[in-house]
Amino acid sequence: MYYIYLCCLDATEKMDAILSSNTAWERLTGPDIDDMKVTECADAFLTLLTTISDRYKHLPQPGHRLQFLDLQLELVDDWRVRLLQLLHENYEDPLTSLMPYILNTLHYVATVLEEWGVTVHFLQLHFFKKQFEAVENAIDRGSDVNENTGEIEGTVFDEAVVLLRRLEKQLINEISDSVALDVKAKSRAYRTDKWFAMQSSKEVASLSVTPSGCPMFQELATRLHTLHSVLALPLFNQAWKNLAAQFDQFLFEEVVLVNHFNSGGAEQLQYDILRNLFPLFGLYIDKPESYFPLIKEACILLNVLTGSVILLEEALNNNDKNASTEILADVGVHKMPTKLALKVIATRTDIIHI
């Protein structure tokens, strides 16, 4: 026990040294880890855990090995808490703070622990751990140990990984929300533009992005590029999906539903979405339009020919759910509910609404 206590002190000191190193957050390079953006901190911490495993894996008694395993699990939890403390000490703009580096570190360590958990060494320890727990429960209850031994599932790192992933998800949401707020802050002129009095494509030489939308789209492009640069690829994929979902709802609720559109305004909005918004996300993903169902289908409804949309509105007001679904599908609207579709149609200035 005393030896384990000394190991614990030594490991804690080394963990402190890892986190306080001047190069803790520098990125390691290599063909296999570039997408993960592995930090020196993450690599050093995993090396520390590996060193502890090497010390005890040849011990003959399972009980002794489990004591060292408990030390490793305590270290992982202490390390997670230290990262949280560092976050609170360095909380500024999430993208320019330590948050992206801590996120990458959390993600990489959690991923490696998941991989370690299914190796023979740690599966054996998990088996022994469950056996010891079954014996203790049987003694406490005064029952047969066989009654407490069911099928053994999971790994020794499951609880630790759950906590790491929970923190990871929380930080991804924070960083996505921060970016969304920055983009929305540039949108006021776009949201309040005169969509009801814009020139149609027949009246201009060629359509271009709405001038009032340039600051917003530029901010979005810059922030997406930054996210892609600083986050591990799996984390970036979570972040842009969060951002796409928020921006889809934002454009639908704060641009479409609160304005009125003449034919020129409808064309202009569709141009902005198809030729500017989707290509911005298209730099990083295939078929970006599939992540913007609301604004995509709103543009369809705003640009349906006048005669067709009058008939469409009449049909949708008949309250036949199945028929409404089929009618909307005929014009390319597959996900928007009838109620919302009618609200979008009601923003058109070219028809008298019933």
Side-chain angles (χ1 to χ4, degrees):
M1 287 295 293
Y2 183 67
Y3 178 66
I4 293 176
Y5 172 72
L6 291 178
C7 286
C8 181
L9 287 179
D10 180 55
T12 302
E13 289 176 2
K14 287 180 178 176
M15 183 172 66
D16 290 339
I18 289 169
L19 289 170
S20 59
S21 168
N22 292 331
T23 57
W25 308 110
E26 289 188 6
R27 187 188 304 172
L28 302 182
T29 57
D32 298 328
I33 59 174
D34 279 352
D35 283 346
M36 296 294 281
K37 295 183 171 60
V38 180
T39 60
E40 184 180 296
C41 169
D43 185 64
F45 181 69
L46 289 170
T47 300
L48 174 60
L49 293 180
T50 301
T51 302
I52 295 172
S53 293
D54 291 341
R55 286 184 182 179
Y56 73 81
K57 65 182 179 182
H58 296 300
L59 292 176
Q61 293 297 325
H64 294 157
R65 279 182 273 163
L66 287 176
Q67 288 177 331
F68 279 97
L69 173 65
D70 287 339
L71 167 61
Q72 288 176 304
L73 294 175
E74 286 177 19
L75 277 175
V76 172
D77 198 54
D78 287 346
W79 179 79
R80 177 183 59 83
V81 173
R82 300 288 178 88
L83 291 181
L84 262 175
Q85 291 170 345
L86 284 172
L87 272 174
H88 293 145
E89 292 169 9
N90 294 272
Y91 195 84
E92 303 160 8
D93 174 3
L95 274 182
T96 58
S97 69
L98 282 180
M99 187 179 288
Y101 304 99
I102 290 176
L103 254 173
N104 293 337
T105 301
L106 282 167
H107 180 75
Y108 183 66
V109 170
T111 301
V112 172
L113 291 180
E114 286 175 336
E115 294 172 357
W116 284 1
V118 294
T119 59
V120 173
H121 169 68
F122 286 110
L123 284 175
Q124 286 179 338
L125 286 176
H126 186 52
F127 174 79
F128 292 139
K129 187 177 177 67
K130 291 299 181 183
Q131 290 293 315
F132 273 95
E133 289 173 357
V135 171
E136 288 177 355
N137 289 335
I139 293 172
D140 290 341
R141 297 176 183 177
S143 59
D144 186 347
V145 67
N146 292 322
E147 295 177 7
N148 295 278
T149 307
E151 185 176 347
I152 296 175
E153 298 177 345
T155 76
V156 291
F157 294 116
D158 283 354
E159 291 182 12
V161 169
V162 165
L163 292 175
L164 293 174
R165 294 298 190 198
R166 185 181 300 164
L167 178 56
E168 175 189 308
K169 184 177 181 180
Q170 175 189 333
L171 297 183
I172 277 291
N173 288 338
E174 283 187 29
I175 214 166
S176 302
D177 290 348
S178 173
V179 169
L181 284 173
D182 289 336
V183 175
K184 291 174 185 177
K186 305 278 187 177
S187 70
R188 188 176 185 280
Y190 190 72
R191 289 184 285 113
T192 58
D193 213 331
K194 296 180 180 179
W195 298 100
F196 57 86
M198 290 189 176
Q199 291 180 305
S200 70
S201 57
K202 297 175 183 177
E203 300 172 292
V204 294
S206 63
L207 289 175
S208 60
V209 63
T210 307
S212 61
C214 288
M216 178 182 70
F217 287 120
Q218 182 58 53
E219 183 72 13
L220 179 60
T222 301
R223 292 292 179 159
L224 276 173
H225 176 73
T226 303
L227 283 171
H228 185 256
S229 299
V230 300
L231 290 180
L233 187 58
L235 296 175
F236 173 68
N237 288 337
Q238 293 179 51
W240 71 250
K241 286 177 183 176
N242 287 354
L243 191 57
Q246 287 195 49
F247 209 55
D248 182 40
Q249 187 169 1
F250 171 73
L251 289 173
F252 182 72
E253 294 179 352
E254 301 296 330
V255 177
V256 175
L257 294 185
V258 299
N259 283 291
H260 289 89
F261 296 83
N262 67 351
S263 60
E267 279 185 293
Q268 186 62 59
L269 179 65
Q270 182 167 255
Y271 181 91
D272 291 345
I273 300 304
L274 298 184
R275 302 294 294 275
N276 292 279
L277 178 64
F278 292 169
L280 285 179
F281 281 84
L283 292 171
Y284 310 103
I285 56 171
D286 294 327
K287 298 182 179 179
E289 63 276 6
S290 61
Y291 296 93
F292 295 88
L294 289 173
I295 193 64
K296 174 191 171 186
E297 295 187 348
C299 286
I300 291 173
L301 291 171
L302 289 174
N303 285 277
V304 173
L305 293 175
T306 304
S308 299
V309 82
I310 291 173
L311 296 174
L312 177 61
E313 186 179 35
E314 289 177 357
L316 294 180
N317 275 306
N318 286 334
N319 295 321
D320 185 332
K321 185 176 180 180
N322 292 331
S324 295
T325 301
E326 291 180 12
I327 293 166
L328 286 171
D330 287 341
V331 296
V333 176
H334 301 281
K335 296 185 178 181
M336 187 179 294
T338 301
K339 187 176 180 180
L340 282 184
L342 285 169
K343 286 185 177 181
V344 173
I345 293 171
T347 66
R348 294 180 56 145
T349 62
D350 59 344
I351 58 176
I352 299 173
H353 301 286
I354 56 177

